[in-house]
Amino acid sequence: MATEALRAPATTPVRPPRRRGGVRDNENIAGWLFVAPVIVILGLFLLLPILMALWVSLTDWNGQGSPFTGDVPFVGGKNYTRLFTEDGLDRRDFMTSIRDNMYYVGIVVPVQTVLALGLALVVNNRMLKGKGFFRSAFYFPSVTSSVAISVVFLFLFANSGAVNKLLGLLGVDGPEWFADSRGVLHLLLGAVGVDTAPGALTSGGPFGLTWWDWLAGPSVAMVSIICLVIWTTSGTFMLMFLAALQNVPVALDEASTLDGASRWQRFRHVTLPLIKPTTFLVLTLGLIGSWQVFDQVYVMSQGDPAKTTLTPAYLSYRTAFRDFDYGSGAAISFVLFLIIILLTLLQRRVMADRDEPRRARWWRRVPEGS
């Protein structure tokens, strides 16, 4: 009997049939019911307008009537090709705005990031007295109306404003900030005697602009806008860096000090790696905001002098609401959107952690068990 019992095949336990429905399904239904209002709101006020603007960018709508009727001419990708391939004023203005915004981004993003990190290190110092006052003072420009600050900067950078008065005390003749269309690089070359462009830089260039135009540098009017933006945005990013610095373990800093690391070595090898996610956030937000600059340009210069402060965001507004070419204006907006997405992805790739193992491509993955 014992032998037969041992030889008997083991029977697998029969699982009870799975119940359909139950608590888990009720939770899923409840979750969808809770998020349904947000989905509806985002769909109506975000996704639907984006799709409508995309359709407008494919038409020649002039703002009269509805753009979704058969009377509006459908032009397809013509509004986009005019910005890149067709010679004319549309491409020249768009490329001029790209050039101006590239100089703007190249100066604003690094400077405001470094300044915000420096301010955060200052107010995070345990030996500093009156931390609350300095934090409020540094952050105050960020909560002030950008239009009001832009008007104040107009008076500061006027021909007889405070900035030129201060430069006069130092023996420097201040420029006409919002009347001089020359770029900073051209001004520096003019100071050493190079007043005219070499023939090699004026004979040709990409996208309808000469190399001399691409290498002009930001105008003095754009420099004043850059100063305004850096002053108003550094306070917000300072708070982000300050929150990250306060989460750095004190024990790590003390241990590195005991190991003989200098202040720069502690900052370079301990602090910066720990606040890398915050640095990526600040750079991403700064990059997106810099490509979307509009209100300062609208209040202070409206693209002048000679379109040296023209940005894609302001050009889109001017094309649609002043020239009544809503198709081209919408096309500029979508091209700007793609530029921001591509630069953000590139920045994410550049700042990726090199120590993490890279994921193998799907065609290079070795199947399990082989």
Side-chain angles (χ1 to χ4, degrees), residues 136-361:
S136 302
F138 294 152
Y139 182 67
F140 182 75
S142 300
V143 297
T144 308
S145 171
S146 61
V147 175
I149 295 180
S150 300
V151 173
V152 172
F153 266 67
L154 278 176
F155 288 103
L156 292 177
F157 285 92
N159 295 338
S160 58
V163 175
N164 282 350
K165 293 291 185 182
L166 181 61
L167 293 176
L169 295 177
L170 300 177
V172 179
D173 293 332
E176 297 179 358
W177 292 95
F178 293 98
D180 194 346
S181 61
R182 293 177 298 172
V184 173
L185 296 181
H186 287 179
L187 291 175
L188 294 177
L189 292 175
V192 295
V194 181
D195 295 327
T196 59
L201 297 180
T202 58
S203 58
F207 301 110
L209 296 180
T210 64
W211 288 109
W212 184 251
D213 294 331
W214 283 106
L215 300 177
S219 63
V220 289
M222 180 62 80
V223 170
S224 63
I225 297 177
I226 288 174
C227 295
L228 182 151
V229 173
I230 292 174
W231 182 62
T232 55
T233 56
S234 299
T236 301
F237 297 140
M238 177 202 69
L239 292 184
M240 298 180 184
F241 278 122
L242 181 60
L245 291 173
Q246 291 179 346
N247 288 328
V248 175
V250 182
L252 292 178
D253 189 70
E254 294 177 349
S256 59
T257 303
L258 293 176
D259 289 338
S262 63
R263 180 177 298 180
W264 167 250
Q265 290 174 335
R266 296 197 305 269
F267 175 74
R268 171 66 179 84
H269 299 287
V270 178
T271 304
L272 280 183
L274 292 177
I275 65 173
K276 187 176 181 179
T278 304
T279 305
F280 173 75
L281 175 64
V282 169
L283 288 174
T284 302
L285 294 178
L287 182 67
I288 294 173
S290 297
W291 278 100
Q292 294 178 340
V293 59
F294 172 80
D295 46 355
Q296 293 87 354
V297 175
Y298 179 81
V299 175
M300 299 180 68
S301 64
Q302 297 189 357
D304 293 327
K307 302 178 182 179
T308 56
T309 60
L310 192 64
T311 61
Y314 181 77
L315 178 63
S316 175
Y317 159 79
R318 193 185 70 178
T319 303
F321 295 98
R322 289 191 178 182
D323 300 337
F324 300 104
D325 189 357
Y326 288 86
S328 297
I332 294 173
S333 298
F334 278 97
V335 172
L336 179 60
F337 172 75
L338 292 177
I339 291 174
I340 293 174
I341 294 297
L342 292 176
L343 290 179
T344 303
L345 294 176
L346 177 62
Q347 179 178 300
R348 182 178 181 181
R349 184 177 181 84
V350 170
M351 295 193 63
D353 194 350
R354 302 301 179 184
D355 296 333
E356 295 181 359
R358 295 183 178 179
R359 296 181 179 179
R361 302 292 184 183

Side-chain angles (χ1 to χ4, degrees), residues 360-370:
R361 302 292 184 183
W362 63 270
W363 62 82
R364 296 180 181 175
R365 292 177 183 172
V366 180
E368 296 182 0
S370 60

